[in-house]
Amino acid sequence: MVGKVYLVGAGPGDPDLITVKGMRCLQQADVILYDRLVNPELLQHAKEGAQLVYCGKLPHYHTMKQETINHFLVKYAKKGYTVVRLKGGDPFVFGRGGEEAEECAKNHVPFEIVPGITAGIAASAYAGIPVTHRNISKSFALITGHQAGDVEAEHQWSHLAKAVDTICVYMGVSHLPSIIKHLIQHGKSPKTPIALVHWGTLSEQRTVVGTLETIEEIVEKAKIANPSMIVIGEVVNLHHRLNWFEKEIIPQLPVVQG
């Protein structure tokens, strides 16, 4: 008898932000394949005897290849197990959930998608930055920072710079100079506000704010690295008033001698 695969979004980091349905799947699973950015506290809710399989990935280093993860999902389900693929954020937002669902469908394995709160919205909210605002932002885009060096994606920057009010970039710290260059080249003002939210929704969260022309120096001074969300747009200006979760970081920049 074939089991079932649940592609579950664990949320952005704070374990309290997993959905009720996601938690129920987690508690009932026979096998849990989990990612690096899943909060380890969530695994304490696994039932006794559940098999935990780490599938974490670091930049430029994959503990387990995607093809291997796909293989395990099908293998365990065909043994009759209830399988949870526990992924940070939402399975269908830069989580390769679509690829894993396709693999299940191809092999006639029943599956279900359990959405999670994605970091682009959650990290922004925890930094006091609404991605939409009636008077400021009527549209937003979620993009991956990895496309910054992708020649085939170059044409997208023109649309992003001109047609979207708020841009949320996932895992883009290492490509920050390229992101800024492309946005300014395609019409964004160098004065456009930008924030980086490091370890969003966790107690370690830190947020730095600047403009496209100043943020690189601020990020370097504050030593902000991945995992971080980049938020670009006028809504970033609300951070100073709506910052409810953390103490604001204002790094001291070197004095420029005139």
Side-chain angles (χ1 to χ4, degrees), residues 173 176-177 196 206 208 214-225 251-254:
V173 177
L176 184 60
L196 277 83
R206 297 191 299 151
V208 293
T214 65
I215 194 64
E216 287 184 67
E217 189 174 8
I218 293 171
V219 165
E220 182 178 357
K221 184 73 175 179
K223 295 182 170 56
I224 299 295
Q252 297 299 312
L253 300 180

mmCIF file of all heavy atoms in Angstrom, residues 173 176-177 196 206 208 214-225 251-254:
data_model
loop_
_atom_site.group_PDB
_atom_site.id
_atom_site.type_symbol
_atom_site.label_atom_id
_atom_site.label_comp_id
_atom_site.label_asym_id
_atom_site.label_seq_id
_atom_site.Cartn_x
_atom_site.Cartn_y
_atom_site.Cartn_z
ATOM 1 N N VAL A 173 22.275 38.523 -0.515
ATOM 2 C CA VAL A 173 23.348 39.332 0.077
ATOM 3 C C VAL A 173 24.623 39.276 -0.758
ATOM 4 O O VAL A 173 25.261 40.305 -1.007
ATOM 5 C CB VAL A 173 23.638 38.900 1.530
ATOM 6 C CG1 VAL A 173 24.796 39.709 2.098
ATOM 7 C CG2 VAL A 173 22.398 39.088 2.396
ATOM 8 N N LEU A 176 24.320 41.537 -3.696
ATOM 9 C CA LEU A 176 23.791 42.871 -3.430
ATOM 10 C C LEU A 176 24.348 43.940 -4.368
ATOM 11 O O LEU A 176 23.573 44.741 -4.914
ATOM 12 C CB LEU A 176 24.044 43.250 -1.972
ATOM 13 C CG LEU A 176 23.467 44.595 -1.506
ATOM 14 C CD1 LEU A 176 21.947 44.608 -1.662
ATOM 15 C CD2 LEU A 176 23.858 44.867 -0.048
ATOM 16 N N PRO A 177 25.650 44.016 -4.607
ATOM 17 C CA PRO A 177 26.155 45.051 -5.528
ATOM 18 C C PRO A 177 25.538 44.941 -6.924
ATOM 19 O O PRO A 177 25.204 45.960 -7.541
ATOM 20 C CB PRO A 177 27.667 44.777 -5.563
ATOM 21 C CG PRO A 177 27.958 44.095 -4.270
ATOM 22 C CD PRO A 177 26.748 43.244 -3.996
ATOM 23 N N LEU A 196 17.783 45.251 4.951
ATOM 24 C CA LEU A 196 18.152 43.838 5.014
ATOM 25 C C LEU A 196 17.761 43.311 6.388
ATOM 26 O O LEU A 196 18.138 43.903 7.407
ATOM 27 C CB LEU A 196 19.653 43.629 4.778
ATOM 28 C CG LEU A 196 20.066 43.600 3.291
ATOM 29 C CD1 LEU A 196 20.232 45.011 2.759
ATOM 30 C CD2 LEU A 196 21.362 42.809 3.110
ATOM 31 N N ARG A 206 18.247 40.927 13.057
ATOM 32 C CA ARG A 206 18.837 42.259 12.985
ATOM 33 C C ARG A 206 18.417 42.889 11.658
ATOM 34 O O ARG A 206 18.418 42.223 10.634
ATOM 35 C CB ARG A 206 20.366 42.204 13.053
ATOM 36 C CG ARG A 206 20.933 41.647 14.352
ATOM 37 C CD ARG A 206 22.429 41.873 14.429
ATOM 38 N NE ARG A 206 23.143 41.196 13.346
ATOM 39 C CZ ARG A 206 24.292 41.622 12.827
ATOM 40 N NH1 ARG A 206 24.850 42.741 13.263
ATOM 41 N NH2 ARG A 206 24.889 40.945 11.867
ATOM 42 N N VAL A 208 19.057 46.277 9.068
ATOM 43 C CA VAL A 208 19.772 47.511 8.725
ATOM 44 C C VAL A 208 19.034 48.183 7.579
ATOM 45 O O VAL A 208 18.447 47.526 6.720
ATOM 46 C CB VAL A 208 21.246 47.252 8.334
ATOM 47 C CG1 VAL A 208 22.037 46.751 9.528
ATOM 48 C CG2 VAL A 208 21.352 46.280 7.168
ATOM 49 N N THR A 214 23.740 53.797 -0.378
ATOM 50 C CA THR A 214 24.493 53.715 0.886
ATOM 51 C C THR A 214 24.518 52.326 1.511
ATOM 52 O O THR A 214 25.330 52.066 2.395
ATOM 53 C CB THR A 214 23.885 54.668 1.936
ATOM 54 O OG1 THR A 214 22.551 54.242 2.268
ATOM 55 C CG2 THR A 214 23.849 56.100 1.425
ATOM 56 N N ILE A 215 23.662 51.421 1.069
ATOM 57 C CA ILE A 215 23.441 50.186 1.812
ATOM 58 C C ILE A 215 24.642 49.240 1.813
ATOM 59 O O ILE A 215 24.862 48.515 2.796
ATOM 60 C CB ILE A 215 22.183 49.442 1.287
ATOM 61 C CG1 ILE A 215 21.743 48.354 2.273
ATOM 62 C CG2 ILE A 215 22.446 48.876 -0.097
ATOM 63 C CD1 ILE A 215 21.295 48.861 3.612
ATOM 64 N N GLU A 216 25.436 49.245 0.758
ATOM 65 C CA GLU A 216 26.579 48.323 0.718
ATOM 66 C C GLU A 216 27.539 48.584 1.875
ATOM 67 O O GLU A 216 28.014 47.655 2.541
ATOM 68 C CB GLU A 216 27.309 48.442 -0.620
ATOM 69 C CG GLU A 216 26.555 47.839 -1.788
ATOM 70 C CD GLU A 216 27.361 47.897 -3.062
ATOM 71 O OE1 GLU A 216 28.407 47.204 -3.132
ATOM 72 O OE2 GLU A 216 26.964 48.634 -3.995
ATOM 73 N N GLU A 217 27.822 49.836 2.129
ATOM 74 C CA GLU A 217 28.726 50.188 3.222
ATOM 75 C C GLU A 217 28.101 49.849 4.568
ATOM 76 O O GLU A 217 28.781 49.367 5.490
ATOM 77 C CB GLU A 217 29.079 51.675 3.152
ATOM 78 C CG GLU A 217 30.182 52.092 4.123
ATOM 79 C CD GLU A 217 30.598 53.539 3.926
ATOM 80 O OE1 GLU A 217 29.940 54.268 3.160
ATOM 81 O OE2 GLU A 217 31.604 53.935 4.559
ATOM 82 N N ILE A 218 26.806 50.064 4.692
ATOM 83 C CA ILE A 218 26.100 49.762 5.942
ATOM 84 C C ILE A 218 26.119 48.258 6.219
ATOM 85 O O ILE A 218 26.370 47.820 7.342
ATOM 86 C CB ILE A 218 24.650 50.289 5.874
ATOM 87 C CG1 ILE A 218 24.652 51.824 5.848
ATOM 88 C CG2 ILE A 218 23.828 49.780 7.046
ATOM 89 C CD1 ILE A 218 23.284 52.441 5.574
ATOM 90 N N VAL A 219 25.861 47.468 5.192
ATOM 91 C CA VAL A 219 25.850 46.008 5.333
ATOM 92 C C VAL A 219 27.228 45.493 5.723
ATOM 93 O O VAL A 219 27.364 44.622 6.587
ATOM 94 C CB VAL A 219 25.367 45.351 4.021
ATOM 95 C CG1 VAL A 219 25.678 43.859 4.002
ATOM 96 C CG2 VAL A 219 23.872 45.574 3.843
ATOM 97 N N GLU A 220 28.250 46.046 5.096
ATOM 98 C CA GLU A 220 29.621 45.623 5.416
ATOM 99 C C GLU A 220 29.973 45.978 6.856
ATOM 100 O O GLU A 220 30.567 45.176 7.587
ATOM 101 C CB GLU A 220 30.606 46.282 4.455
ATOM 102 C CG GLU A 220 32.048 45.853 4.676
ATOM 103 C CD GLU A 220 32.997 46.479 3.671
ATOM 104 O OE1 GLU A 220 32.521 47.199 2.763
ATOM 105 O OE2 GLU A 220 34.214 46.250 3.801
ATOM 106 N N LYS A 221 29.577 47.171 7.282
ATOM 107 C CA LYS A 221 29.877 47.616 8.642
ATOM 108 C C LYS A 221 29.160 46.759 9.679
ATOM 109 O O LYS A 221 29.722 46.394 10.715
ATOM 110 C CB LYS A 221 29.450 49.084 8.794
ATOM 111 C CG LYS A 221 29.784 49.702 10.136
ATOM 112 C CD LYS A 221 31.262 49.971 10.283
ATOM 113 C CE LYS A 221 31.569 50.697 11.583
ATOM 114 N NZ LYS A 221 33.014 50.942 11.750
ATOM 115 N N ALA A 222 27.908 46.391 9.394
ATOM 116 C CA ALA A 222 27.103 45.610 10.331
ATOM 117 C C ALA A 222 27.340 44.111 10.194
ATOM 118 O O ALA A 222 26.803 43.328 10.976
ATOM 119 C CB ALA A 222 25.629 45.912 10.129
ATOM 120 N N LYS A 223 28.145 43.712 9.181
ATOM 121 C CA LYS A 223 28.467 42.295 8.949
ATOM 122 C C LYS A 223 27.193 41.458 8.749
ATOM 123 O O LYS A 223 27.031 40.390 9.340
ATOM 124 C CB LYS A 223 29.312 41.725 10.086
ATOM 125 C CG LYS A 223 30.694 42.356 10.186
ATOM 126 C CD LYS A 223 31.519 41.730 11.305
ATOM 127 C CE LYS A 223 32.963 42.165 11.263
ATOM 128 N NZ LYS A 223 33.151 43.620 11.305
ATOM 129 N N ILE A 224 26.301 41.961 7.908
ATOM 130 C CA ILE A 224 25.072 41.236 7.592
ATOM 131 C C ILE A 224 25.361 40.214 6.498
ATOM 132 O O ILE A 224 25.960 40.535 5.474
ATOM 133 C CB ILE A 224 23.973 42.208 7.115
ATOM 134 C CG1 ILE A 224 23.639 43.213 8.223
ATOM 135 C CG2 ILE A 224 22.724 41.436 6.696
ATOM 136 C CD1 ILE A 224 23.019 42.622 9.456
ATOM 137 N N ALA A 225 24.943 38.978 6.718
ATOM 138 C CA ALA A 225 25.161 37.904 5.750
ATOM 139 C C ALA A 225 23.852 37.153 5.551
ATOM 140 O O ALA A 225 22.817 37.501 6.114
ATOM 141 C CB ALA A 225 26.263 36.965 6.251
ATOM 142 N N PRO A 251 24.524 51.278 12.522
ATOM 143 C CA PRO A 251 25.961 51.174 12.545
ATOM 144 C C PRO A 251 26.640 52.529 12.358
ATOM 145 O O PRO A 251 26.126 53.377 11.618
ATOM 146 C CB PRO A 251 26.269 50.238 11.377
ATOM 147 C CG PRO A 251 25.088 50.357 10.487
ATOM 148 C CD PRO A 251 23.913 50.621 11.366
ATOM 149 N N GLN A 252 27.734 52.719 13.060
ATOM 150 C CA GLN A 252 28.468 53.983 12.942
ATOM 151 C C GLN A 252 29.386 53.919 11.717
ATOM 152 O O GLN A 252 30.330 53.145 11.671
ATOM 153 C CB GLN A 252 29.300 54.227 14.205
ATOM 154 C CG GLN A 252 28.455 54.389 15.464
ATOM 155 C CD GLN A 252 27.518 55.571 15.365
ATOM 156 O OE1 GLN A 252 27.922 56.670 14.981
ATOM 157 N NE2 GLN A 252 26.250 55.358 15.723
ATOM 158 N N LEU A 253 29.055 54.717 10.729
ATOM 159 C CA LEU A 253 29.864 54.725 9.517
ATOM 160 C C LEU A 253 31.071 55.652 9.694
ATOM 161 O O LEU A 253 31.022 56.605 10.464
ATOM 162 C CB LEU A 253 29.021 55.193 8.323
ATOM 163 C CG LEU A 253 27.792 54.327 8.007
ATOM 164 C CD1 LEU A 253 27.050 54.923 6.804
ATOM 165 C CD2 LEU A 253 28.210 52.917 7.691
ATOM 166 N N PRO A 254 32.152 55.366 8.977
ATOM 167 C CA PRO A 254 33.340 56.217 9.078
ATOM 168 C C PRO A 254 33.052 57.639 8.611
ATOM 169 O O PRO A 254 32.260 57.846 7.681
ATOM 170 C CB PRO A 254 34.360 55.521 8.159
ATOM 171 C CG PRO A 254 33.542 54.666 7.246
ATOM 172 C CD PRO A 254 32.344 54.232 8.032
#
